[in-house]
């Protein structure tokens, strides 16, 4: 599923916003967090009084019910998405909202808990008693439970430690590479983004300052400096070694690729 925002204006927050989120790619929205969270709210239909259009797979008049079933969303404040006081009730309500077969509820809940590294015992716990990391895991479980075509994640890594980030990087890569999911990540966590992102856009004061392929951007320290971003350690190492070995760094996607190229010389 592709989502395109076309000629979007919203008060003094967004100006002539145009961008297409490509199917099967991970796109990072970086820069101005208030504007970026507003983009998520527009996609999710939470903000309606804007000028412009949201297109889904090139269509202006798309089926709203089907669209919201096929987009898994985690907001910047995930606890605000909870309606029920008990975790299991929250997950069941999400399934009932979209008429999921009740005889398969227990299986799909157990499966999605495994995906986010949670035990079934959490189902009987009260939402207000959960830790921040448990809340983000349950929110991710809710976003995944209907097997959506799109994931929209607003600053989820601020609740994650290093180990948790690594687990979800592995999950997101699997969703993209094996299942062709479209993933939109709103974040300025450059180290996390550098491990998964295909495309990027930078928003500042409601304007798209630049966009393109992430690896073409992240190797250019002068461009990074404009936004107060340091080159991620992985890319810095690739940059140094590519100069030493005279390798085209933009052909290198990982440290493993770099090692393979060097070893094959």
């Amino acid at each position: 599923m592709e989502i395109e925002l076309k000629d979007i204006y919203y008060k003094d927050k967004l100006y002539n916003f145009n961008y297409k989120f490509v199917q099967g790619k991970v796109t990072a929205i970086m820069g101005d967090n208030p504007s970026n969270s507003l983009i998520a709210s527009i996609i999710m239909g939470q903000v309606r009084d804007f000028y412009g259009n949201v297109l889904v797979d090139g269509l202006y008049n798309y089926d709203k019910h089907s669209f919201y079933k096929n987009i898994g969303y985690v907001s910047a404040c995930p606890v605000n998405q909870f309606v029920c006081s008990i975790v299991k009730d929250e997950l069941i309500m999400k399934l009932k909202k979209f008429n999921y077969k009740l005889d398969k509820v227990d299986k799909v809940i157990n499966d999605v808990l495994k995906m986010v590294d949670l035990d079934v015992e959490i189902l009987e716990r009260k939402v207000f008693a959960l830790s921040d990391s448990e809340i983000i895991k349950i929110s991710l479980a809710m976003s995944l439970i209907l097997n959506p075509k799109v994931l929209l994640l607003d600053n989820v890594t601020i609740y994650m430690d290093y180990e948790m980030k690594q687990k979800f990087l592995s999950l997101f890569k699997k969703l993209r590479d094996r299942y062709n999911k479209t993933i939109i990540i709103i974040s300025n966590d450059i180290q996390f983004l550098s491990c998964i992102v295909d495309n990027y856009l930078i928003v500042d004061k409601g304007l798209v300052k630049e966009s393109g392929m992430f690896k073409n951007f992240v190797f250019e320290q002068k461009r990074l400096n404009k936004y107060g971003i340091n080159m991620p350690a992985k890319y810095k190492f690739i940059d140094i070694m590519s100069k030493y070995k005279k390798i085209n760094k933009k052909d290198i996607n990982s440290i493993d690729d770099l090692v393979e190229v060097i070893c094959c010389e």
Side-chain angles (χ1 to χ4, degrees):
M1 180 182 284
E2 289 189 341
I3 300 172
E4 182 178 2
L5 276 66
K6 196 168 185 178
D7 303 325
I8 300 290
Y9 289 84
Y10 182 75
K11 299 180 179 179
D12 60 346
K13 306 296 183 184
L14 287 175
Y15 305 95
N16 193 31
F17 185 94
N18 287 275
Y19 193 80
K20 181 186 287 187
F21 298 95
V22 179
Q23 180 174 333
K25 298 294 183 183
V26 179
T27 302
I29 307 178
M30 305 165 64
D32 182 2
N33 275 329
S35 295
N36 296 346
S37 292
L38 176 59
I39 294 164
S41 296
I42 288 172
I43 291 172
M44 293 305 300
Q46 297 168 346
V47 172
R48 299 179 185 274
D49 55 334
F50 62 89
Y51 295 97
N53 293 282
V54 178
L55 285 71
V56 176
D57 289 334
L59 300 176
Y60 287 90
N61 297 313
Y62 54 90
D63 183 332
K64 299 289 196 299
H65 183 80
S66 176
F67 173 67
Y68 294 126
K69 180 180 179 180
N70 277 295
I71 183 163
Y73 174 51
V74 180
S75 76
C77 189
V79 72
N80 289 346
Q81 292 183 263
F82 288 78
V83 176
C84 303
S85 59
I86 303 298
V87 170
K88 186 174 183 177
D89 293 342
E90 191 71 40
L91 293 168
I92 290 174
M93 187 183 71
K94 180 71 178 283
L95 292 168
K96 284 183 176 179
K97 181 179 179 181
F98 292 99
N99 301 317
Y100 201 87
K101 294 181 180 178
L102 295 181
D103 60 332
K104 296 184 177 180
V105 164
D106 287 340
K107 182 180 185 306
V108 74
I109 287 176
N110 289 342
D111 288 345
V112 80
L113 288 180
K114 289 179 184 177
M115 289 178 71
V116 299
D117 196 31
L118 285 173
D119 295 325
V120 292
E121 62 87 22
I122 202 168
L123 292 173
E124 305 305 322
R125 290 176 58 188
K126 293 184 177 180
V127 170
F128 68 79
L130 300 176
S131 67
D132 286 345
S133 63
E134 288 171 333
I135 286 172
I136 197 64
K137 285 182 178 181
I138 290 296
S139 297
L140 284 164
M142 289 170 58
S143 74
L144 292 164
I145 199 165
L146 292 167
N147 190 24
K149 296 178 181 178
V150 178
L151 279 181
L152 175 56
L153 311 173
D154 192 350
N155 283 292
V156 295
T157 64
I158 63 175
Y159 303 98
M160 299 181 182
D161 59 19
Y162 176 80
E163 182 180 356
M164 189 173 170
K165 287 180 182 180
Q166 296 308 303
K167 287 180 179 178
F168 281 103
L169 277 171
S170 178
L171 173 61
F172 297 154
K173 287 177 181 177
K174 181 179 180 181
L175 292 173
R176 175 193 60 191
D177 298 340
R178 188 178 299 181
Y179 301 106
N180 201 35
K181 304 290 188 185
T182 304
I183 303 176
I184 304 167
I185 304 176
I186 298 170
S187 178
N188 289 312
D189 186 343
I190 193 68
Q191 298 294 340
F192 180 86
L193 297 176
S194 70
C195 296
I196 187 151
V197 166
D198 302 299
N199 302 318
Y200 79 99
L201 65 153
I202 294 180
V203 180
D204 183 48
K205 297 178 181 177
L207 295 168
V208 178
K209 291 297 185 179
E210 62 174 281
S211 63
M213 291 180 63
F214 185 79
K215 68 178 180 180
N216 291 344
F217 166 70
V218 79
F219 280 119
E220 304 294 336
Q221 188 59 63
K222 288 183 179 179
R223 289 168 68 192
L224 296 173
N225 288 341
K226 287 169 57 179
Y227 307 104
I229 300 172
N230 291 319
M231 188 183 295
K234 178 182 78 171
Y235 282 91
K236 192 174 291 185
F237 178 71
I238 292 172
D239 186 47
I240 292 169
M241 292 303 296
S242 64
K243 290 174 183 175
Y244 177 69
K245 288 290 186 177
K246 296 181 179 179
I247 298 166
N248 185 352
K249 60 191 175 186
K250 292 181 180 178
D251 291 336
I252 305 296
N253 295 312
S254 67
I255 299 297
D256 288 341
D257 287 349
L258 179 64
V259 171
E260 184 176 350
V261 170
I262 292 172
C263 291
C264 290
E265 284 189 334

